[in-house]
Amino acid sequence: MAGGVLRVAVPTPLRKLFDYRPPDGRAATDVAIGTRVRVPFGRRHLVGIVAAHAGHAEVEGGRLKSVQEVLDDVPVFPPELFELIDWAAGYYHHSLGEALSTALPALLRRGEAGDARGEAIYGLSATGRAAAADPPARAPRQAALLARLAEAGEGLSRAQLDAEEGDWAGPLRALRDKGWLAVTHRSCLPPPAASTVDGPEPNGEQHAAIAAITAAHGYQGFLLDGVTGSGKTEVYLRAIGAVLAQDRQALVLVPEIGLTPQLVERFRARLAVPIAVLHSGLNDSERLCAWQQAASGEARVVIGTRSAAFTPLPAPGLFILDEEHDASFKQQDGFRYSARDVLLLRGRRLGLPVVLGSATPSLESLHNVARGRLTRLRLSVRAGGARAPRMRLLDMRARTLRGGLAPLLWESIEKHLGEDGQVLLFLNRRGYAPVLSCHDCGWLPPCPRCDAHLVVHQRDNRLRCHHCGHEQALPRACPDCGSERLQPLGQGTERLEQELRKRFPDQTVLRIDRDSTRRKGALHEALEEARSGRARLLVGTQMLAKGHHFPDVTLVGIVDADGGLFGADFRAPERMAQQIVQVAGRAGRATRLGEVLIQTHSPEHPLLQSLIGNDYARLAEALLAERGAAMLPPFSAFALLRAEAHDSHIAQNFLRSAKREADRLGIAGVSILGPAPAAMTRRAGRHRFQLLLQSTDRAPLHRLLDAWLKRLDSLPSMRKVRWSLDVDPIEVS
Ligand code: ADP
Ligand code: ZN
Ligand code: ZN
């Protein structure tokens, strides 16, 4: 068929495709689905993806514009991946163009050439070298680039050029057009280790888990439910080994914070194959390169964070998602997908086993085990002989605290340090103190833009809002009454660090939180210092709690366990339990017995009682029963329509109209609650409200969302607010 029309997914929030004529002389069907095209869009040019072919356009022929340029010979999205993202865009009711764009490395998103041969290295051709000896006098930037490339000898990569001063893209094009460049390609993957180490011999439970995974024919979903330190990673490594032996690829997703150099080293030391790593620390060209090596099949193992769920793989054999309970697998803005659910679906469509691993499985996954959708594989003991830590609650009521810690905790710290142990204190609150208060009149500094108080950051002499980033100098006197008696109240990690330094001047104290690790690479250095045991006292937020292996830690102190007991979100108790079990799991991972002390004002709380019995499973069962009784997820499906505006009436009015529209659709089985204010109603100067849609069945909910969004698009009030739809939200407060 000559002619025809290309239906293009363009990265805009509009949930529709746009029609274009194929470029001169080509038939639409010559441009495969999943191919990038540059298209005129309004007054701009955007990079879109061909999503369908059609015989004729939906707009009148005269207004139909042509594709400006076809950017790929081979589609960047193979059919399997394109269809997966198309499904996900439908499920999350998001624009396909934006969803596809989210899945692409930034350089491809911007329309640059994808080259599966690896990273381009720019050097000089023979004529180029001659030109370098006699540089063009009237093109100083070209001359400078010539000189730079001549000096570099082996050539420079895009990343190296990026690090140079000035804009080199134009001169580079000029040199290429003159035939002065020689472009070679090199794999961006480090070569695999020449020899690998053997892992420990799997124990019985590990054996059973490995056998179950490798025996799966076609899709099967597993929940590898193994206590901290039980050797889940060993199971992954062996299962991956079996997949590699069949010449297939493995994809491993981990939370951002879990993707440490140690983890990658461990994989490299065990698997003698090229491994691509995709994480947020990569620059654009490194990311593109890792992505392409996965797509070309050169990388046999791909390790990445959330968005790596969308990596193209020509020969996939196994999908793994570690720490499956982790909230970072759900994207919280734009295309709000769950990488866990996407990966399960991808495995099902491709007919592959998918392994979700955790010491503290999400209630969703436990529910799926109960419904027979996931097969549970248990690792009930710590591998290598380490024992489960001993847990105790410290009743904080009527205790005189020093620096926020009970006397018994101070004594225990001293004892463990004395016995050459390492101590980890967990406090999920950064800064010096959560509030500053005037002793004379009770004034507390509010954030001018949020319904929140400013947090004291003593070291920088600042007050900061942890919600909008507002900051100001620490006042010397109360602006209300002039008193100079301003007291920081409560504990933050910065204050705790200071207390520890005062009390233990001879010990190295290391704080790990978002403030102390802002500089690129700082987190990895800090984790290394913690792991090596050089720092004896570790203080940190949840950054310190997740998945790390600190062999010397013998004492874990949880400074405040009460935060999660009475949180606004219905998931707060689940989160807190997971957090405590995960932090506690840092204790006694090697040969020495670990001890965990948990400070609380509610020691009789059943949740804490189950936790200290080292019985997450029983606790999760109780929480799941509560969810069932209240018909909360996973026993029902939620979707949240959020709206925010500078004027609170505008946000509320929009949601009221939206609710009326939904009611008019008359779809049974979906209840709509709200509009209700968000837990923090004003944030960064905007008033935030939400509508909660709840349904025991997904089908009517999605039927409603489909019809509803089309109607909302034509509501004038929609254009006055910032809104978003979150399907399966993980935060609803
Ligand atoms: P997890 O991923 O469950 O936290 P890891 O796989 O990191 O656990 O294992 C924890 C520690 O136990 C590691 O040092 C690992 O080498 C060791 N280990 C794992 N399996 C065994 C085993 N079967 N025998 C001896 N040591 C083991
Ligand atoms: Zn005052
Ligand atoms: Zn604020």
Side-chain angles (χ1 to χ4, degrees), residues 447 449-450 465 467-470 684:
C447 173
R449 309 174 66 213
C450 305
C465 175
H467 304 285
C468 72
H470 168 86

Side-chain angles (χ1 to χ4, degrees), residues 679-716:
M680 181 183 300
T681 309
R682 198 168 57 104
R683 183 171 176 157
R686 291 170 187 275
H687 295 264
R688 311 182 312 144
F689 292 84
Q690 55 194 32
L691 275 186
L692 179 65
L693 286 78
Q694 185 176 19
S695 170
T696 47
D697 264 320
R698 280 178 198 286
L701 177 64
H702 283 271
R703 225 174 323 120
L704 185 141
L705 292 176
D706 272 335
W708 192 40
L709 282 175
K710 289 197 190 89
R711 293 196 177 201
L712 293 189
D713 285 337
S714 55
L715 278 185

Side-chain angles (χ1 to χ4, degrees), residues 438-443 478-483 486:
C438 171
H439 187 72
D440 291 313
C441 77
W443 172 82
C478 171
D480 275 9
C481 75
S483 162
L486 295 177

Side-chain angles (χ1 to χ4, degrees), residues 34 36 49 72 74-78 81 85 100-109 113-116 118 188-189 249 275-279 282-299 302-303 307-314 346:
R36 291 177 305 152
I49 306 287
D72 305 305
V74 178
V76 283
F77 291 107
L81 193 53
I85 298 170
L100 289 165
S101 187
T102 304
L104 277 183
L107 287 174
L108 292 185
R109 210 182 296 152
D115 195 327
C188 55
L189 304 182
Q249 295 169 288
I275 297 178
V277 182
L278 288 154
H279 60 84
L282 299 179
N283 66 33
D284 288 350
S285 43
E286 289 167 336
R287 169 166 282 269
L288 173 61
C289 202
W291 197 83
Q292 283 167 338
Q293 306 284 307
S296 73
E298 160 118 12
V302 177
I303 309 177
S307 65
F310 298 115
T311 314
L313 301 165
R346 193 174 178 191

Side-chain angles (χ1 to χ4, degrees), residues 430-431 457 459-460 464 493-494 497 501 510-527 539-541 543-544:
R430 64 196 169 85
H457 286 253
R459 178 171 303 187
D460 307 331
R464 291 203 178 103
T493 46
E494 196 188 315
E497 177 195 14
R501 283 187 202 281
L510 177 69
R511 169 163 62 97
I512 298 188
D513 58 25
R514 207 131 56 78
D515 298 315
S516 73
T517 57
R518 236 171 254 285
R519 184 174 49 80
K520 192 176 169 177
L523 175 61
H524 289 152
E525 282 165 33
L527 288 173
V539 183
T541 56
M543 278 191 152
L544 201 52

